Amino acid sequence: MPLPTVILPGYLESAIAYRQLEQSLKELGFPTITVPLRRRDWIPTLGGRPVTPILWKLDRTVKQILQECNAAQINLIGHSAGGWISRIYLGEKPYVARGELKPSLWRAHPFVATLIALGTPHISQERWTRSTLDFVNNNYPGAFYQNVRYVCVAGKSIFGARRRGSWLAYSSYQLTCGTGNTWGDGITPIAAAHLEGAENLVIEGVRHSPRSPGTWYGSPEPLKTWAQYLL
């Protein structure tokens, strides 16, 4: 029996954008649910504030599907920022981000069989996100938990350059990994999307967001590449 699967949306994204991906996974036999986020649920996290509200919603969703499916573990799919937020969720170190007084802790790694990160920037030079990402990478470097299968998927569709059509990619790549002239999915450079010790994949022609024109990570062809890692 395939494990139930939870999708955690990317930064400032709502669950609605992942309905087609959710349906595709259900058709493959995976009971799937998306964390029921609305765009306004991200407002408390703006300006580098803690992502704790998102983590609590993720925790409630995971517990819900474990109970509904009478399962011991899930697959967890984190798109974009959802990937590094998921790494906090797995962890055993209290998460006390800037501006918080009370630490939060989830210790969820025993309940996650596979973590698939789609277009996740696992590093950042941007000051608002760097503090939280430093917390993640200092405490849980690479594919940290041996009992969890980490799969990191990068898209290769846009080369960043200071010219029309590539300027957004250039700026985003530079903010993320410090280099604008590199390949990525238009938002996340390949260099930032992989983790040491993980199953690291690069898929040609894939763009970052479910709202991007053309092919993104959840489109039918890319899905075939990474869905085989789900348990």
Side-chain angles (χ1 to χ4, degrees):
M1 180 73 181
L3 290 181
T5 297
V6 174
I7 302 168
L8 180 58
Y11 195 59
L12 297 179
E13 195 53 272
S14 67
I16 294 171
Y18 299 84
R19 280 181 179 168
Q20 184 56 56
L21 173 56
E22 185 178 314
Q23 184 58 38
S24 296
L25 291 168
K26 287 178 179 177
E27 289 172 3
L28 291 173
F30 296 97
T32 305
I33 188 171
T34 303
V35 179
L37 294 173
R38 300 158 297 180
R39 284 187 161 184
R40 64 176 177 266
D41 291 327
W42 293 94
I43 292 173
T45 75
L46 294 177
R49 286 178 287 180
V51 293
T52 313
I54 307 301
L55 283 154
W56 283 117
K57 285 181 178 290
L58 170 60
D59 186 55
R60 286 195 292 272
T61 305
V62 169
K63 288 175 177 174
Q64 175 188 333
I65 200 167
L66 284 172
Q67 184 175 25
E68 288 177 357
C69 296
N70 193 27
Q73 288 187 307
I74 62 157
N75 298 308
L76 181 53
I77 298 169
H79 172 237
S80 195
W84 58 257
I85 293 172
S86 295
R87 291 169 63 202
I88 298 175
Y89 181 60
L90 299 180
E92 299 178 67
K93 300 287 179 66
Y95 174 55
V96 187
R98 185 170 59 86
E100 276 193 324
L101 299 176
K102 185 179 179 182
S104 299
L105 185 57
W106 293 272
R107 294 194 184 97
H109 67 92
F111 309 113
V112 178
T114 301
L115 170 60
I116 295 187
L118 304 175
T120 293
H122 292 291
I123 56 174
S124 178
Q125 307 295 318
E126 204 272 325
R127 67 191 185 103
W128 296 120
T129 54
R130 187 167 182 173
S131 61
T132 303
L133 273 168
D134 283 351
F135 170 85
V136 178
N137 290 317
N138 290 338
N139 288 292
Y140 316 113
F144 187 76
Y145 287 105
Q146 293 185 358
N147 57 308
V148 178
R149 185 180 199 179
Y150 292 75
V151 181
C152 296
V153 188
K156 184 180 180 182
S157 58
I158 301 176
F159 187 83
R162 292 179 174 179
R163 63 171 183 265
R164 187 176 180 180
S166 303
W167 182 258
L168 173 61
Y170 178 92
S171 301
S172 183
Y173 299 165
Q174 190 169 51
L175 270 175
T176 303
C177 70
T179 302
N181 296 119
T182 189
W183 282 100
D185 62 15
I187 298 294
T188 301
I190 294 171
H194 289 165
L195 286 174
E196 184 176 353
E199 301 267 3
N200 290 313
L201 311 176
V202 177
I203 307 180
E204 296 279 347
V206 167
R207 302 189 70 167
H208 184 75
S209 169
R211 299 182 188 272
S212 300
T215 300
W216 86 288
Y217 294 97
S219 297
E221 284 304 311
L223 178 61
K224 292 177 186 175
T225 301
W226 57 262
Q228 61 185 306
Y229 293 91
L230 295 171
L231 299 175

